[in-house]
Structure formats: structure tokens, C-alpha cells
Amino acid sequence: MLYREALNRALDELMEKDENIVILGEDVGLYGGSYRVSEGLVEKYGEKRVIDTPIAELSIVGNAVGMAIGGLRPVAEIMTANFSLLAFDQIINHMSKFHYMSNGKIKLPMVVRFPQGVSRQLAAQHSESYEQMLSAVPGLRVISTSDVNHAYHALKKAILLDDPVVFIEHELLYNKKGEVNFNDTMDPFKARIVKEGKDITIVSYLKILDDVLKSVDAIEKELNCNCEVIDLCSLNPIDYDTLAKSIEKTSRLVMVEEDHKTGGFGSQIVSWVAEELFYSLDAPPLRIAGEDVPIPYNRKLELASIPTVDSITQKVIEWGHKNGL
Amino acid sequence: MEKLIAQDIYYLMYLGRAFEYKAKEHYMTGDISGFLHLDIGQEALSVASMKAFEKGDVFTTYREHIMAIARGMEPKYVMAELFGKASGVSGGKGGSMHLFDPSHFFYGGDAIVGGQIPNAVGCAYARKYQGNLEGVMVVFGDGATNGGAFFESLNIAATHKLPILFLCENNEYAIGTNIKRAAPFREQYKKAEPYMLTKAVDGMKADEVYNAIKEAQSLLEKGHGPIFIEAYTCRFEGHSMSDANLYRSSQEMKHCKAKDPLPYFKNKMLTEFNFTQEEIEAVEKKADESVQEAVEFATNAKEPSLDALYEHVFYEELNNVVS
Ligand SMILES: Cc1ncc(C[n+]2csc(CCOP(=O)(O)OP(=O)(O)O)c2C)c(N)n1
Ligand SMILES: [Mg+2]
């Protein structure tokens, strides 16, 4: 099954069971979704439940908040993360705060789905990542998914939950292949240990996690070591327990992310490690992230603006040599 | 319309279409990547609007290659940008959607739907402030007229009586969504009516577009305040190269292509402007050569250096700034 099919399957199964679930967004209905995640659903559930909206992101999220208040369970789709900026007022001032401001009297069972990241030469206004901003908003659950099985289970949980969730997908993952284990009992809102190891903890999420996995062989060979790779999955709240166990075991942390380095999401992980696990460390943490520049169109420059398999491999090896590995 | 202008418009429409087909071809071969939005079918609107609005400033969208060329940018530098080359109008960092050239008072190339409209309003404020009423033209699609930025802009432009021309290219589609499914009516000028003078024209007819915009600019110059023109048009291709155009029936496409702006204007050239067949062929030949030259230039142009990645994040080096 493909990543986008797993997401589609999750939507379909839940919509079949609960008619309060509605989908809204630009081109989600007749067009089938720009990444085909909602393909076939308008045919099955009708235009009342799969709503093609005008290009009006503020209203997409704002209406979803109102629908949730009114008793529905909306799943809103933002076509690309950059356009969500038009909806940030609704996401931050409304979606994230109503539960708290009302002292718990209002709940918002809603999801905003969010394709993001550097795809292929889409240039500065179509390539951004916003997990660092979103995860800094109290009251908003932020989930990222990098894996087909996880995508299926995580989206289902996000929809069933009575909290507002921003659900981050990566544009380059939609055609990723994988198996779904329908009987999986994992908690998709906890960090996943994707590969076990004892010498270096590499923390990542979304698409760049795949690049980490592709670089691990070369790193292990060169440094004669064993890497543990963790997929964060939940960016707010963060599963610190899983991270602490791993870092206490390996004594080394590498954080790999695609967003811009300054203020990037991984700075939270590294600052937490500095505060809480300083004495467990054998080496200063290494952070590998995107450059502090808007994403350029030219392919060569685009690739130079974000971590790649090659740059991850090279940076981790260099850091390993410098730090006694 | 004068004969020379008619010739120029036909030249640019013909060149624009040839340019777009070449861009399409080079997208297939991988020389061009990312999102490529072709303007085929909408040439009359793109060319005649730029030719009529010769003075002033222009803000537009991502479907802007032909507008950029009609505004005066050389096809070879536009093609080089599509190829991501250093000599492209945006140094290869913007690509197809982000063509900028302040020397032609052309400010993008904005790919956030509706985002350019408030920018144009701000620029119109600046121009009025400077005592310049040549005006600002902002071009946007029927997809932008459902968003907040659009409504806010109508209100502000009208309140301040700004010298701005809102030009809506209504091709009835925002990607796969027909305007009738996104708004209660097809005619978007109705939304502007309470605020300003409005006019609707056939966007497939270059002469109609030209005359309407010429007239509008002269009104702006007289201090008339904001004007809204809606032009009905039709794109012949998918929304971008990533769109298979499956939501329009062959019947609908046939209807759309029957309004082809090129044969219409060619006929005008022959009948109203008294061009001969040979003269028209000469114009076409010149346009073909220009496009061929553009492709060769773009193919042979250099890639940006890696240093370019860090250039132009900021304009000023901090140590140059003294307070
Ligand atoms: C704020 C925002 N939302 C969504 C998109 C994705 N998008 C790009 S073009 C487009 C359709 C725009 O249609 P229209 O304004 O009619 O222009 P046309 O493409 O027809 O020229 C959409 C939805 C975007 N670029 N920006
Ligand atoms: Mg349109």
C-alpha cells in the first residue's frame, strides 16, 4: 500500500462508521485531492461530507473549528503547508485555545492535515516546513508521519481523539510503499524506535528520516558503531521518555531535520538534552538541519539547502571522528 | 488601436504561445522542473493587458511568463529562469512562478493565491503619496476572488481612492474547481460593484482587452480611483504540468478552443489593420526565431554557483549599517 492510500484507507474506514466525520479543503472532492489522499471519497460519501472549498484557508480552518463546536468531526486539508499561514490566526488563536480558555467546556475534535517540505523545485513559496512554529503552540497536538503503517494508525487516532490535531505529512512520501499491519497495537502518538543500536541515538521525523536510514550503513561502517534511529512521530507533546532511555544508553545524540536550523524543531530536543541529560553525554549533540535561507528553485541549490543522504553521512562521520568514535 | 500596436500584440501573442510550447517540451525532458503553469489560450489577455497598461506598476501570479515578456523582459532571460540558470531574471532561484524585474516595474510572480493583491494596494498608496497616478495593475484569477485578501483590498483601495486597476482573469477554474462550485455566481466583478467602477470584457479578444485597459489607465491618471475589470478567458492546458485536466470534458475543451485568441486576432490583422499574409508570416518567423534563441540561450547558460544559496537573504551587510 502507498502512504497516500494508507491515509485514504484511514479516512474511509472512519467515515463509514461515523457520519459526523466530514472532510473539507481545496480540490479534496471531485478532483480527489492534490496528492490523491481523498480520492474516491466524494463518490462514496457525497458532497455534503467531502466539501470542496474556495481558496480560503482561514475559513477552512475557521469553519472546521465551528463544525467541531457544532458537533461534527472535521478533517480539514491544507493543500500545502505554506498556505496554512493564511490560517494561522485560526490555528493559533482559536483551534488551540478554546479548550483551555473555556476551562475545558469546549472541546474540538478536529484534524488539520498538512502536506509540507521540500519536494522538487517548487521554490520558496511551496517548500516550507512549519512544525517548529506549530509545536510551540500549547494546546495543539502536532503529529508527523513518515511511514505507511504509522500513517494509517496515526491518522485514525488523530480523528478519533477529542483534541485538535495538526497532522503533518511530507509531499515526497505520498508514493512511498509499505505494509499496513491492521492489528498493530502501537501507540502512534509515541516515538518509534525504527532501528535499535547502542552507540549513537539519531532522532528524526518525516521524510528526512528515510535519508537518515539510508546513511546509517556508511556511518556504522566508518565509525565502527551502532546507531539507534528514532522517529519522533509526536512533535507536541514530545515523547521524552523514549528519547531519554535511548540517550542514556548511547550517550550520543544526533538530531536530523529538514526545517531551517535557526529556531528549527530540533533545537528543542537539543536544549532539553542539555538541561536534562548533560551528564549522560559522551559528546556534544550534533544538529543537522536546513540552511537559513528561503528554498531556491535551482535543483543544485535546492539540494544544498537541506540535509541529504550524503551530507548526513559526511557530517555524522566527521562529528564521530572528532568525538572519539 | 494603432497598426503598430496591433502588430506588436500579434507578435507577442504568437511568441508567447511558441514560448509556452517550448517550455512544455523542455519540462518533459527535465530541463524545467517544479510547477509550470502554461498560459496557452489566455495570450490575448496576458499580452493586451501589458501593452495597454504601459506605464505604472504590475503585480501578478505564477502564470506569468507571457506577461513578463509582454512587459519587456527578454524571452531568453525568462527561459533561462525556467531552466534555473544564473542568468535567469531571478538568478535561477525563483523559477517559473517567480519572475521579477523592477526595471520593468514588474513585481512577480507571486504563488500564494491572492497574496499579491494587498501588495499592489500598498504600492498604489505609495504612488499616490508620491503624486504619481499612472496606476498599479494587479492581475489575479477567479480563484483569488473568494479569499479575504481580495475583499480587504477592495475596501482599502476604495476608501483611499487609490490609483489601482484590479484585473481578474476569469478562466472559470481554480485548479479543478469550477467557479460555480466555489462562488454563488460566475461574474466576479459583482463582488467589486459596491466599491468601484467595474467592467467585464471578452478576454479572448485582444482588442477588447486593450481598449478597456487603455481607458481604465487614463481614468486612473485623472484621479478616478480604483477600477475593476474582469476578462473571461479559457486555459487550453491543465492547471500546471502536474494536472491531467480530467475534470473538463472534451466537449468543454472544444468549446474553449473554438475561442482561440490567435486566429481571432490574426483575422483582425488581415481585415481591420490591412496586413498582408506575407507580413504576418514575417512577424511569426521573427517570433519563432526569438523563442529558438531563448531555448539555446537557456540551454547553454551557466548554473548558479553554490555561493548563490546564501546571497540575497538580506540586502544589507549588518556592518554597513550605521544609525
Ligand atoms: C493561498 C493559496 N492557496 C492555495 C494555493 C494552491 N493553488 C495554486 S493555484 C490555485 C488555483 C488558482 O486559481 P485562479 O486564481 O483561478 O488562477 P488560475 O490558475 O486559474 O490562473 C490553487 C488553489 C496557493 N498557491 N495559494
Ligand atoms: Mg482560474
Side-chain angles (χ1 to χ4, degrees):
Chain A
M1 195 181 291
L2 304 179
Y3 181 89
R4 66 173 159 79
E5 291 168 340
L7 295 167
N8 179 276
R9 175 83 179 244
L11 287 166
D12 192 5
E13 276 179 25
L14 292 181
M15 286 181 86
E16 175 118 40
K17 281 196 207 120
D18 180 355
E19 61 183 35
N20 284 322
I21 299 173
V22 298
I23 294 178
L24 67 160
E26 294 156 17
D27 282 314
V28 294
L30 291 191
Y31 196 76
S34 13
Y35 295 98
R36 299 171 64 189
V37 169
S38 48
E39 200 169 59
L41 298 179
V42 74
E43 289 79 359
K44 201 159 165 190
Y45 301 107
E47 291 190 43
K48 231 167 132 179
R49 292 186 64 194
V50 183
I51 307 158
D52 278 325
T53 67
I55 305 170
E57 286 78 10
L58 178 128
S59 287
I60 294 173
V61 177
N63 294 355
V65 168
M67 288 172 171
I69 289 174
L72 300 183
R73 214 170 254 285
V75 181
E77 175 177 297
I78 298 290
M79 198 177 260
T80 287
N82 282 75
F83 318 147
S84 76
L85 295 176
L86 286 137
F88 259 47
D89 166 60
Q90 285 296 334
I91 295 175
I92 299 177
N93 277 325
H94 306 260
M95 177 176 168
S96 79
K97 298 197 197 326
F98 278 13
H99 185 65
Y100 190 83
M101 291 196 301
S102 68
N103 201 28
K105 283 183 205 143
I106 290 181
K107 60 175 186 169
L108 296 178
M110 63 178 283
V111 179
V112 177
R113 288 189 35 250
F114 214 97
Q116 74 167 28
V118 172
S119 176
R120 201 186 159 91
Q121 293 192 260
L122 302 187
Q125 291 182 330
H126 283 74
S127 303
E128 297 265 287
S129 298
Y130 293 130
E131 65 275 23
Q132 69 302 87
M133 295 206 251
L134 293 162
S135 62
V137 181
L140 209 59
R141 285 186 189 273
V142 181
I143 300 300
S144 70
T145 187
S146 64
D147 165 80
V148 176
N149 185 50
H150 179 264
Y152 169 82
H153 292 286
L155 183 55
K156 277 180 96 169
K157 176 157 176 167
I159 295 171
L160 293 173
L161 215 65
D162 281 345
D163 276 330
V165 178
V166 174
F167 193 86
I168 304 181
E169 300 155 18
H170 195 289
E171 289 169 22
L172 287 181
L173 291 174
Y174 287 109
N175 289 322
K176 178 176 170 173
K177 283 201 183 92
E179 297 285 312
V180 171
N181 173 3
F182 293 101
N183 302 316
D184 205 322
T185 54
M186 62 135 111
D187 181 349
F189 283 23
K190 287 258 180 291
R192 286 189 313 134
I193 298 181
V194 182
K195 174 188 173 304
E196 286 192 49
K198 57 179 184 29
D199 303 310
I200 304 176
T201 298
I202 308 185
V203 177
S204 192
Y205 55 95
L206 280 172
K207 184 258 167 189
I208 208 77
L209 178 93
D210 285 348
D211 298 320
V212 167
L213 291 170
K214 284 181 200 145
S215 66
V216 156
D217 264 2
I219 293 167
E220 291 187 337
K221 244 183 232 140
E222 179 65 27
L223 297 177
N224 192 22
C225 72
N226 219 291
C227 299
E228 179 144 300
V229 180
I230 297 181
D231 180 1
L232 277 168
C233 299
S234 176
L235 307 182
N236 188 28
I238 296 167
D239 179 4
Y240 289 118
D241 289 348
T242 302
L243 295 184
K245 265 190 215 126
S246 174
I247 295 164
E248 275 161 1
K249 172 174 72 177
T250 63
S251 315
R252 290 178 192 90
L253 168 68
V254 174
M255 176 73 222
V256 186
E257 65 203 272
E258 189 183 293
D259 62 349
H260 306 299
K261 187 155 187 179
T262 301
F265 177 79
S267 56
Q268 171 57 24
I269 302 294
V270 172
S271 103
W272 164 78
V273 166
E275 280 186 288
E276 303 293 332
L277 294 173
F278 190 76
Y279 294 107
S280 307
L281 293 180
D282 282 347
L286 171 66
R287 246 186 97 209
I288 302 175
E291 297 297 308
D292 288 326
V293 301
I295 310 295
Y297 166 72
N298 174 277
R299 181 63 171 163
K300 196 176 68 177
L301 297 186
E302 181 183 59
L303 286 175
S305 75
I306 48 165
T308 58
V309 176
D310 286 347
S311 72
I312 295 166
T313 311
Q314 188 205 328
K315 283 183 176 161
V316 176
I317 288 173
E318 225 167 75
W319 165 86
H321 283 318
K322 230 171 41 199
N323 290 289
L325 266 174
Chain B
M1 191 191 290
E2 292 159 30
K3 189 168 173 173
L4 260 177
I5 289 175
Q7 175 174 334
D8 208 16
I9 287 178
Y10 184 71
Y11 170 72
L12 286 164
M13 280 170 59
Y14 184 93
L15 185 151
R17 181 165 297 186
F19 184 97
E20 295 294 66
Y21 275 119
K22 275 289 169 209
K24 184 177 180 182
E25 196 181 310
H26 285 271
Y27 191 90
M28 305 290 200
T29 62
D31 292 326
I32 299 172
S33 184
F35 284 142
L36 179 71
H37 306 84
L38 300 176
D39 205 17
I40 298 167
Q42 306 188 165
E43 297 91 345
L45 182 45
S46 296
V47 170
S49 61
M50 295 300 139
K51 280 288 136 191
F53 206 85
E54 328 164 81
K55 301 181 226 165
D57 305 85
V58 171
F59 290 72
T60 184
T61 70
Y62 46 84
R63 198 184 297 287
E64 88 287 37
H65 316 150
I66 300 181
M67 288 187 203
I69 293 168
R71 188 73 181 166
M73 291 187 213
E74 281 190 52
K76 62 181 183 180
Y77 299 126
V78 175
M79 190 63 91
E81 188 57 36
L82 270 51
F83 276 55
K85 297 298 181 71
S87 48
V89 291
S90 304
K93 282 151 100 169
S96 153
M97 299 192 284
H98 306 302
L99 306 173
F100 287 87
D101 192 350
S103 75
H104 289 103
F105 303 93
F106 189 91
Y107 309 102
D110 201 307
I112 301 301
V113 170
Q116 76 279 23
I117 310 177
N119 303 153
V121 170
C123 185
Y125 189 94
R127 292 293 180 245
K128 188 175 175 189
Y129 183 89
Q130 294 154 345
N132 175 343
L133 293 181
E134 285 172 357
V136 175
M137 175 163 68
V138 58
V139 189
F140 47 87
D142 52 288
T145 51
N146 301 317
F150 170 72
F151 290 99
E152 292 173 26
S153 296
L154 293 179
N155 184 59
I156 293 168
T159 303
H160 290 281
K161 230 177 153 213
L162 298 178
I164 182 166
L165 170 60
F166 294 88
L167 176 61
C168 177
E169 304 180 282
N170 189 342
N171 61 11
E172 299 193 351
Y173 281 89
I175 308 186
T177 298
N178 188 283
I179 183 67
K180 288 186 202 127
R181 301 182 59 246
F185 37 77
R186 166 179 176 259
E187 298 80 11
Q188 298 304 295
Y189 72 83
K190 290 181 182 167
K191 293 175 177 170
E193 260 178 344
Y195 299 91
M196 60 192 70
L197 179 70
T198 63
K199 189 177 172 87
V201 297
D202 183 343
M204 302 305 258
K205 298 183 173 156
D207 48 335
E208 245 189 62
V209 174
Y210 182 87
N211 292 335
I213 291 180
K214 249 312 183 243
E215 192 191 332
Q217 188 165 47
S218 71
L219 283 175
L220 293 183
E221 279 185 296
K222 289 184 195 124
H224 179 278
I227 298 172
F228 185 103
I229 295 181
E230 176 164 7
Y232 302 104
T233 182
C234 182
R235 65 168 155 79
F236 290 1
E237 303 279 318
H239 170 73
S240 72
M241 290 298 291
S242 332
D243 169 25
N245 196 23
L246 300 174
Y247 42 85
R248 291 189 288 180
S249 67
S250 54
Q251 181 73 17
E252 185 176 346
M253 288 313 299
K254 217 169 113 188
H255 187 65
C256 166
K257 287 184 178 168
K259 293 184 277 188
D260 193 330
L262 268 108
Y264 166 81
F265 202 68
K266 189 174 186 169
N267 190 42
K268 286 254 151 185
M269 295 275 285
L270 290 165
T271 56
E272 251 173 58
F273 297 103
N274 300 317
F275 282 90
T276 64
Q277 189 65 36
E278 292 72 43
E279 283 170 324
I280 289 179
E281 276 164 21
V283 168
E284 293 176 349
K285 185 157 170 278
K286 191 171 150 228
D288 279 328
E289 281 165 7
S290 170
V291 171
Q292 196 48 44
E293 186 209 2
V295 170
E296 277 159 29
F297 177 83
T299 308
N300 298 322
K302 283 202 195 66
E303 296 261 334
S305 74
L306 270 181
D307 294 339
L309 183 60
Y310 306 100
E311 286 164 6
H312 308 303
V313 176
F314 294 112
Y315 179 65
E316 302 269 20
E317 293 295 333
L318 269 190
N319 49 15
N320 290 344
V321 182
V322 276
S323 60

